[in-house]
Amino acid sequence: MIWRVASYIYQEISNVLLSKSIERMRKRLKRTKGICSCSSPRCINHSTFNWYEQDLWTYIARFLDGRSLVILGATNKWFNSVIMQDCIWKFTCLRDLQVPDPGHVAFSWSKLYASVVDGSHSFIFRQQEKHIDWMRIGAFSFDSEVAFLSQRMSASVKIPKQENIGDMLQSCGSCLLRKIKTGIWIADLQLVRCPVCDQEKCEGTMQMLDARHIELFLNQGFQDGSWDYELVGSHEIKKKVRGAYGAIFDFKYLTSKSTAGIFDYKSWIGQPNDFQPKAIIALHAVAVNTNLQENQGVLIKYHTMRAGAEGEIVSIRISQQLL
């Protein structure tokens, strides 16, 4: 009984409210214009969303690749001013290269990013006639000014104690280079003609681990040819070798967990009958290896480029040629 009374009261109140609502609507309709000139309430309340919100597009840019950023920046002057902010290209560069922030850089991040992704490599600028093919390995980082270079695959690392690079190589198949320019380094695997070296009987090819500082191609000294490569050491192995191996480490992280994967050779060098070049990169190191067929040994050469006569080392090359 109580439920029926409550239901009746609720229904009556609803009818009264509905009647009043209909009456108010009729009064409004009398005051409005004809249907041909009526204005929709949705059209009157314009959205307050601002498409030209700089913080919003700065955030969106974090999810775009380099090509998409360039396209967005070409839309108009406003987008160009937003997208060309150095902070956006710094984030994109570090994200795509998967390296830590190096701190101060001498060039804008947009130029640095372009020099990495535009297809440039060191043989484009000189010795083009000796170049055959190349492969981008990736990026790694130098935190210290000392590099450890190795030509042997060994689970145990032997640190050379000699001062002369030639003596280091002869003693333990590795050497130390000092005064390395710290920061981000780019690593490529180059395939070049053997006349790059001085073995007259060789008519084949040689592989080269080619690493450079990310700023190298933008420096005037490199562009005008005043900076050049010099031979700092060589070593012959006059016996059969299983593979042409070369590695570059930041000496500070030689035994750290971040480089442990490079010493796990079986995980990346391929099967003995796989003669395709293989490469691996870590946060502070890079290595390459090509399994070899029957041979009488290899000649390994080490070249460096300095930023001026007494400047920092800005590029390192390790080449292997069959004897």
Side-chain angles (χ1 to χ4, degrees):
M1 186 66 180
I2 296 176
W3 180 85
R4 289 181 180 180
V5 173
S7 178
Y8 174 79
I9 296 172
Y10 173 81
Q11 187 66 38
E12 288 298 315
I13 293 174
S14 297
N15 291 336
V16 172
L17 292 176
L18 179 60
S19 299
K20 290 183 178 180
S21 177
I22 292 173
E23 185 63 26
R24 285 196 299 268
M25 185 180 294
R26 286 175 179 173
K27 291 181 180 179
R28 284 201 303 269
L29 289 174
K30 289 180 180 179
R31 292 195 296 265
T32 58
K33 299 177 182 178
I35 192 169
C36 294
S37 60
C38 69
S39 300
S40 170
R42 294 183 180 180
C43 296
I44 296 173
N45 297 325
H46 295 291
S47 173
T48 58
F49 180 76
N50 182 11
W51 284 100
Y52 292 94
E53 178 60 49
Q54 181 168 324
D55 290 343
L56 173 64
W57 285 105
T58 300
Y59 179 76
I60 292 174
R62 295 165 62 92
F63 302 94
L64 302 179
D65 59 17
R67 182 175 181 274
S68 299
L69 287 173
V70 171
I71 294 173
L72 183 59
T75 304
N76 56 38
K77 291 183 178 179
W78 187 87
F79 274 111
N80 184 264
S81 65
V82 172
I83 297 304
M84 291 310 296
Q85 293 180 91
D86 216 36
C87 63
I88 290 178
W89 288 100
K90 177 181 180 179
F91 177 87
T92 304
C93 193
L94 298 180
R95 177 198 65 194
D96 291 358
L97 297 181
Q98 298 182 6
V99 291
D101 185 355
H104 173 74
V105 291
F107 300 92
S108 69
W109 282 99
S110 60
K111 290 183 177 180
L112 292 173
Y113 185 83
S115 72
V116 174
V117 302
D118 64 359
S120 298
H121 57 84
S122 59
F123 281 90
I124 285 181
F125 300 92
R126 58 195 76 178
Q127 296 181 321
Q128 293 184 23
E129 72 284 357
K130 298 175 180 179
H131 188 255
I132 299 174
D133 202 359
W134 74 294
M135 176 183 74
R136 172 61 46 81
I137 302 174
F140 65 106
S141 181
F142 266 109
D143 283 353
S144 74
E145 297 183 353
V146 182
F148 177 82
L149 279 54
S150 177
Q151 66 191 39
R152 295 179 182 174
M153 287 188 289
S154 176
S156 59
V157 178
K158 185 177 181 180
I159 308 301
K161 298 180 180 180
Q162 297 81 358
E163 292 295 327
N164 180 272
I165 292 180
D167 294 338
M168 295 182 192
L169 295 173
Q170 190 65 35
S171 171
C172 55
S174 59
C175 67
L176 296 176
L177 293 179
R178 305 182 187 279
K179 208 173 180 180
I180 302 292
K181 183 174 177 62
T182 59
I184 301 171
W185 280 59
I186 308 299
D188 297 328
L189 178 62
Q190 307 283 1
L191 186 65
V192 296
R193 303 185 191 281
C194 276
V196 171
C197 48
D198 52 13
Q199 297 292 314
E200 297 179 358
K201 297 180 180 180
C202 181
E203 298 177 355
T205 60
M206 56 186 279
Q207 80 171 20
M208 178 183 293
L209 173 57
D210 186 7
R212 61 175 173 88
H213 193 275
I214 192 173
E215 298 177 3
L216 178 61
F217 291 171
L218 301 176
N219 279 283
Q220 185 62 35
F222 176 83
Q223 296 176 358
D224 62 21
S226 59
W227 299 357
D228 205 355
Y229 289 94
E230 61 174 332
L231 179 67
V232 296
S234 63
H235 182 222
E236 283 189 356
I237 303 178
K238 296 182 179 181
K239 61 181 181 179
K240 178 183 175 181
V241 293
R242 186 176 64 179
Y245 172 83
I248 301 172
F249 297 84
D250 182 340
F251 184 67
K252 179 180 177 181
Y253 297 94
L254 183 59
T255 58
S256 72
K257 291 182 179 180
S258 64
T259 57
I262 292 181
F263 295 103
D264 184 13
Y265 305 109
K266 293 183 180 180
S267 67
W268 65 273
I269 64 172
Q271 298 298 318
N273 60 348
D274 182 357
F275 304 112
Q276 291 297 316
K278 299 291 189 298
I280 185 173
I281 199 157
L283 192 58
H284 299 286
V286 62
V288 298
N289 179 77
T290 300
N291 293 328
L292 301 175
Q293 301 184 37
E294 289 297 322
N295 61 84
Q296 298 178 343
V298 293
L299 170 65
I300 303 102
K301 289 191 173 183
Y302 298 82
H303 290 81
T304 62
M305 177 183 287
R306 292 183 178 272
E310 300 297 328
E312 297 174 306
I313 293 176
V314 291
S315 184
I316 301 171
R317 284 177 172 175
I318 305 176
S319 62
Q320 293 101 353
Q321 174 203 353
L322 291 175
L323 295 176

